[in-house]
Amino acid sequence: MTDPPASPQFDLAHSPLQKLQSTFLEHAGVRLYVKRDDLMHPHFGGNKWRKLKYNLIHARKNNFDSLLTFGGAWSNHIYATAAAAKHFGFNSIGLIRGEQHTPLNSTLSFAEECGMQLHYINRQRYRQKHEDAFLKEIRQQYGDVYILPEGGSNTLALQGCREIVAEVSAQLDRPFDIICCASGTGATLAGLSLAIAESNLAKKQAAIGFSALKGGEFLVKEISNFIEQTAPRRTIDNWHIESNFHFGGYAKINHELVRFMQMFQSRYEIPLDAVYTAKMFYGLFEQIKSGVFQPGTVIVAIHSGGLQGNKGFNL
């Protein structure tokens, strides 16, 4: 195994903060900033890096040389983990949901080019990925590997996501009121919530997660569990989930969402991904249009990357 990377190589969490300018936002009286985590790294930026950062540090400190994780055929997490493993000198194994299809799509081809070993498991087995018996089998089959959960979401992931709040606060000339993220597993929102709760402005700030999944209300329990694991016996209610902007469910899109993505890129020169950030910004703009936020509100929306997934929609 290669030597541990110097700490500056792990310091990839300083993305720009970009203010959006448009007559729409001026008329609403809202100041909207985009935290450009999509620019942190071309292959493992966004919230995937935020989640991976402390997991990789922990894996290196505990002398693991191989990472194993889970994902679908177009998984941003698989893509990012493969790239980060190669960059930092880890071996990587990806357990892919479903059957193998050849030729490989661009996500899995990239992962394989990064050195990730791809293995396919049926959907029934895949649903067992959190069970102790299944994880024991994995270790028996693949040896002493560092297991990352699907999406990279665990308590170490929250540690990286929490850093966003302090970083944004240092970049703004006044405190933000609302911070938003797209939500798939809920880990990013949980990290934001915990960081806000620890700040001096805890009663004045809130976090919103826009669910990319249909029936996203289930995320309330997931996020509460993440928070409980990190801050047991503490009530934190500075967050909520918006579940009305999923466009039919995970990885479901339509012409309306695509038109919004085209408008957004044309007006603000920022590309969005169809699975997560497009739905977040669409929902956020609908709320601004509806007057949900009072004039003078300062909002920060996190661009979590994932642009490689657009290839799955031929976008």
Side-chain angles (χ1 to χ4, degrees):
M1 189 172 93
T2 58
D3 292 333
S7 56
Q9 289 179 274
F10 271 110
D11 191 19
L12 301 174
H14 291 283
S15 61
L17 191 69
Q18 179 177 343
K19 185 179 182 182
L20 299 191
Q21 306 276 6
S22 70
T23 54
F24 165 67
L25 294 170
E26 289 173 8
H27 289 158
V30 168
R31 292 170 62 182
L32 176 58
Y33 296 85
V34 181
K35 183 62 170 161
R36 297 295 305 274
D37 276 9
D38 58 309
L39 300 179
M40 291 195 303
H41 191 277
H43 301 309
F44 55 88
N47 69 334
K48 297 309 176 190
W49 167 245
R50 302 276 187 183
K51 295 178 181 181
L52 283 169
K53 178 180 176 180
Y54 287 101
N55 274 289
L56 297 188
I57 291 173
H58 183 74
R60 182 57 50 84
K61 284 182 177 178
N62 287 275
N63 297 316
F64 287 95
D65 61 8
S66 296
L67 312 174
L68 182 146
T69 195
F70 310 84
W74 288 98
S75 167
N76 291 330
H77 173 65
I78 289 289
Y79 187 96
T81 301
K86 179 181 179 181
H87 184 85
F88 292 110
F90 291 94
N91 302 315
S92 63
I93 301 166
L95 300 189
I96 310 302
R97 181 181 63 245
E99 298 179 358
Q100 180 177 3
H101 295 280
T102 54
L104 296 178
N105 67 35
S106 58
T107 295
L108 297 183
S109 291
F110 175 82
E112 199 170 66
E113 289 167 7
C114 289
M116 178 175 274
Q117 300 176 36
L118 303 178
H119 301 274
Y120 299 83
I121 56 178
N122 64 47
R123 293 176 183 273
Q124 181 179 354
R125 288 279 289 159
Y126 191 86
R127 285 193 289 270
Q128 300 171 6
K129 60 186 177 294
H130 299 301
E131 297 177 8
D132 290 340
F134 181 69
L135 296 175
K136 182 178 179 181
E137 287 180 32
I138 285 177
R139 289 190 172 91
Q140 290 173 343
Q141 182 174 353
Y142 297 103
D144 191 23
V145 294
Y146 185 85
I147 298 177
L148 285 161
E150 183 178 34
S153 297
N154 56 16
T155 53
L156 286 171
L158 267 62
Q159 192 173 342
C161 295
R162 290 166 75 165
E163 294 179 343
I164 298 172
V165 170
E167 192 177 326
V168 166
S169 298
Q171 292 172 307
L172 284 172
D173 58 2
R174 58 152 287 184
F176 67 83
D177 300 298
I178 304 291
I179 190 164
C180 305
C181 66
S183 292
T185 64
T188 301
L189 183 60
L192 298 175
S193 171
L194 285 162
I196 291 172
E198 294 168 353
S199 74
N200 295 327
L201 298 166
K203 295 182 180 180
K204 299 179 180 179
Q205 295 177 315
I208 304 174
F210 288 82
S211 175
L213 298 83
K214 189 175 182 179
E217 296 82 5
F218 81 93
L219 287 170
V220 172
K221 182 178 180 181
E222 298 295 318
I223 295 161
S224 299
N225 287 340
F226 279 131
I227 291 173
E228 172 64 23
Q229 290 169 22
T230 307
R233 296 178 299 281
R234 184 175 180 185
T235 300
I236 298 177
D237 58 2
N238 56 16
W239 59 274
H240 72 273
I241 284 286
E242 288 291 342
S243 56
N244 295 321
F245 305 102
H246 53 73
F247 284 84
Y250 179 73
K252 299 288 182 65
I253 67 172
N254 61 22
H255 293 303
E256 184 179 6
L257 185 64
V258 172
R259 284 195 298 270
F260 176 81
M261 293 170 63
Q262 293 168 341
M263 177 281 295
F264 195 93
Q265 183 163 1
S266 174
R267 181 173 298 175
Y268 303 110
E269 299 183 347
I270 299 175
L272 303 177
D273 85 287
V275 176
Y276 292 105
T277 55
K279 295 179 180 182
M280 174 191 68
F281 276 105
Y282 182 97
L284 180 58
F285 273 43
E286 286 297 302
Q287 291 191 330
I288 292 172
K289 191 186 304 181
S290 301
V292 171
F293 306 106
Q294 294 182 353
T297 301
V298 176
I299 304 172
V300 176
I302 301 168
H303 192 320
S304 50
L307 296 172
Q308 64 88 23
N310 285 346
K311 296 177 183 177
F313 303 99
N314 296 316
L315 296 175

